[in-house]
Amino acid sequence: MTGTFVGMPAFPTAARAALGDTQLRHNMAHATGVIRGKRAAVVGEVEAWEDLRLSGAAVKETALRDLDVQLETLEASLVAGGAIVHWARDAEEACRIVADVAKSHGVDEVVKVKSMATAEIGLNEALQAEGIAAWETDLAELIVQLAGDLPSHILVPAIHRNRAEVREIFLREMAAVGRPAPADLTDEPAVLAGAARAHLREKFLRAKVGVSGANFAVAETGTLVVVESEGNGRMCLTLPEVLVSVVGIEKVVPTYADLDPLLRLLPRSSTGERMNPYTSTWSGVTPGDGPQEVHVVLLDNGRTNALADDVGRQALRCIRCSACLNVCPVYERTGGHAYGSVYPGPIGAILNPLLKGTGVDAQTDSLPYASSLCGACFEVCPVRIDIPEVLVHLRAKVVDGHRDDRRPKAEAVAMKGAAYVLSDHRRLARVERLSGLGGRVLTRFGKKRLPGGRAAAGALPGPGASAWSGARDLPAPPRESFRAWWARTRGPGSEGPSTTKEGDR
Ligand code: SF4
């Protein structure tokens, strides 16, 4: 069974451990580099790509603006099509609904289409606790599940594994849960896919209940859409007698025509394909064709909190393409596990705090800082989510959330000290004289040199300051400040140029 992110340390600790894993860094650099290249090539073919991004963003923004109305329309359309609609406030409610449906049909297993919403709510673990096995049928999800591993990418959850590792996992684990891998299994991708296909086919043909998410839900027609590349989704959506789809409430789009820009943006941004291989759509129950009992669980789980955040709500436009992960220099080096969530990378750094709230736990509060704010994520996002803007906004919320703490934070103390010094030029001059003295000491004894031969100050004292200086080359203060130089070269009595006049205050 897949592991869990519960109890993961804050990002800096997890990232430090991940950075020490050279195999992981090699796998990540190779995989993200390949996907980046594919995406850039197919996006470059579309002349009006920017217009398409604007259209995609507008569709999602329109839906979010009157989400309550759209959801009621969606519910009415689904019910009219023969589906049973459930509303789930949180993960626990959603898992309970799916488990109850499965139990009402007396099954001890379900087959699953890859779904971020069900991963977010920990559905597999919840079903396992009820004695129901949830079989992942997406190839990468299958690898993660067989290995008892954690997903590290939205689209390619096993991106941290190379094919030799996948072969080992198949040989070691498949037999325990179904058809074993052939003894002569090689690490050729086609051979590995063949072993997975044979292993899964038994499960597809046996399963009475299928579980999916949905990429989009059309309010006007009650149409759910699943976009996938392997055909496993099509099998899960059509073979079982019962289908349960867990759909985040932000997946709604008003009209069928609104799918047009989104279905053009998604494959080019995610897999680097011009068109998606399998796009399945269904609207409730069709007598004699496909599942004859269709449940749709509309999931909140923090989405209305995110919607109430004026800056952060744009994260609900996300179509889970994972382009932002593939271009992120931080994600490429740390991998996805360091983010402690099924949503890693830049989108995870904003979505997790928005769904869970800031100030809830240190791990979530650390995520908005898991970025260099380089802006590459915004450049590639097909629905123009300004991730750096949301990161900065969330950092402010994290800081604000700690203002009432009794114990003053090192950063707050440092800022107060800086404000005291900088508000009076005489104080500033005194501090400059002192730092010049420190600079002379460091220049004399310091071993580390910056480009140009200037001495580096080394680590600052104290836990907060040493963490800051440990990741930066901090130049030693100059031996002589600008004021001192001015006074020396312009004659005695000169105090140097004053930038603050009484009248300016
Ligand atoms: S934030 Fe944008 S780029 Fe990242 S996964 Fe979502 S839609 Fe894709």
Side-chain angles (χ1 to χ4, degrees), residues 154 269 315 317-325 346-347 350 377 380-385 387:
I154 290 175
S269 301
R317 296 207 297 256
C318 177
I319 55 173
R320 311 281 189 262
C321 71
S322 69
C324 58
L325 279 67
I347 182 60
I350 60 171
C377 46
V380 296
C381 179
V383 283
R384 296 181 55 86
I385 299 170
I387 293 179

Side-chain angles (χ1 to χ4, degrees), residues 367-386:
L367 293 177
Y369 296 89
S371 168
S372 63
L373 301 180
C374 70
C377 46
F378 173 61
E379 295 295 320
V380 296
C381 179
V383 283
R384 296 181 55 86
I385 299 170
D386 192 341

Side-chain angles (χ1 to χ4, degrees), residues 212-469:
S212 82
N215 292 86
F216 309 106
V218 182
E220 75 170 355
T221 55
T223 306
L224 298 187
V225 184
V226 161
V227 173
E228 41 108 17
S229 301
E230 298 167 14
N232 65 301
R234 180 77 49 91
M235 304 272 268
C236 287
L237 297 168
T238 51
L239 287 175
E241 297 156 17
V242 181
L243 175 63
V244 191
S245 302
V246 181
V247 183
I249 54 174
E250 84 285 15
K251 299 289 179 181
V252 67
V253 296
T255 69
Y256 205 83
D258 288 333
L259 293 175
D260 174 35
L262 298 172
L263 288 176
R264 285 196 280 157
L265 286 162
L266 184 54
R268 287 182 194 260
S269 301
S270 58
T271 49
E273 291 166 306
R274 296 187 181 94
M275 196 179 156
N276 197 64
Y278 293 88
T279 302
S280 302
T281 65
W282 71 103
S283 309
V285 175
T286 304
D289 185 12
Q292 296 301 292
E293 186 178 316
V294 171
H295 296 261
V296 180
V297 184
L298 295 173
L299 174 73
D300 182 339
N301 206 32
R303 284 159 176 77
T304 46
N305 295 340
L307 191 66
D309 185 314
D310 285 346
V311 179
R313 60 182 295 171
Q314 58 186 304
L316 297 177
R317 296 207 297 256
C318 177
I319 55 173
R320 311 281 189 262
C321 71
S322 69
C324 58
L325 279 67
N326 302 329
V327 296
C328 176
V330 176
Y331 173 83
E332 182 181 323
R333 282 155 186 82
T334 65
H337 293 164
Y339 295 79
S341 163
V342 298
Y343 298 115
I347 182 60
I350 60 171
L351 195 58
N352 290 301
L354 286 165
L355 294 179
K356 294 184 196 167
T358 51
V360 175
D361 61 70
Q363 197 277 330
T364 309
D365 278 1
S366 71
L367 293 177
Y369 296 89
S371 168
S372 63
L373 301 180
C374 70
C377 46
F378 173 61
E379 295 295 320
V380 296
C381 179
V383 283
R384 296 181 55 86
I385 299 170
D386 192 341
I387 293 179
E389 180 191 29
V390 183
L391 284 167
V392 171
H393 165 71
L394 288 170
R395 287 180 188 186
K397 285 184 87 167
V398 170
V399 171
D400 285 345
H402 291 287
R403 288 208 194 281
D404 294 337
D405 285 1
R406 291 255 170 88
R407 207 155 46 92
K409 291 271 177 299
E411 186 186 2
V413 171
M415 288 299 161
K416 276 213 170 107
Y420 177 74
V421 169
L422 292 170
S423 61
D424 185 310
H425 69 92
R426 283 169 299 246
R427 286 183 210 135
L428 181 59
R430 279 197 291 276
V431 170
E432 281 174 352
R433 276 197 292 276
L434 281 173
S435 68
L437 185 63
R440 279 197 287 280
V441 173
L442 284 163
T443 309
R444 175 166 293 212
F445 297 110
K447 292 201 173 63
K448 190 170 175 190
R449 297 276 149 189
L450 299 177
R454 196 167 166 194
L460 293 173
S466 64
W468 191 85
S469 59

Side-chain angles (χ1 to χ4, degrees), residues 86-251:
H86 310 259
W87 296 85
R89 267 171 299 206
D90 54 24
E92 200 183 330
E93 274 190 14
C95 291
R96 164 73 22 230
I97 292 164
V98 181
D100 285 349
V101 171
K103 285 205 276 190
S104 72
H105 290 275
V107 301
D108 61 2
E109 63 175 1
V110 300
V111 285
K112 282 188 68 203
V113 189
K114 176 174 165 25
S115 144
M116 293 309 297
T118 60
E120 173 193 323
I121 62 175
L123 181 64
N124 292 8
E125 295 73 32
L127 290 178
Q128 189 184 26
E130 302 272 356
I132 301 163
W135 305 121
E136 295 290 352
T137 64
D138 170 86
L139 180 55
E141 289 283 10
L142 174 71
I143 295 164
V144 168
Q145 185 173 46
L146 286 173
D149 203 350
L150 290 164
S152 65
H153 191 273
I154 290 175
L155 186 73
V156 198
I159 195 169
H160 54 290
R161 300 284 194 181
N162 61 33
R163 58 197 212 193
E165 291 175 291
V166 173
R167 176 181 172 272
E168 290 301 314
I169 293 165
F170 280 10
L171 284 172
R172 199 176 61 233
E173 306 292 343
M174 268 185 174
V177 290
R179 186 185 175 115
D184 60 349
L185 187 73
T186 70
D187 64 4
E188 283 302 308
V191 176
L192 293 170
R197 189 180 300 121
H199 178 83
L200 290 170
R201 192 152 297 247
E202 293 180 349
K203 293 182 162 64
F204 284 131
L205 296 175
R206 203 171 58 213
K208 300 255 180 304
V209 177
V211 176
S212 82
N215 292 86
F216 309 106
V218 182
E220 75 170 355
T221 55
T223 306
L224 298 187
V225 184
V226 161
V227 173
E228 41 108 17
S229 301
E230 298 167 14
N232 65 301
R234 180 77 49 91
M235 304 272 268
C236 287
L237 297 168
T238 51
L239 287 175
E241 297 156 17
V242 181
L243 175 63
V244 191
S245 302
V246 181
V247 183
I249 54 174
E250 84 285 15
K251 299 289 179 181

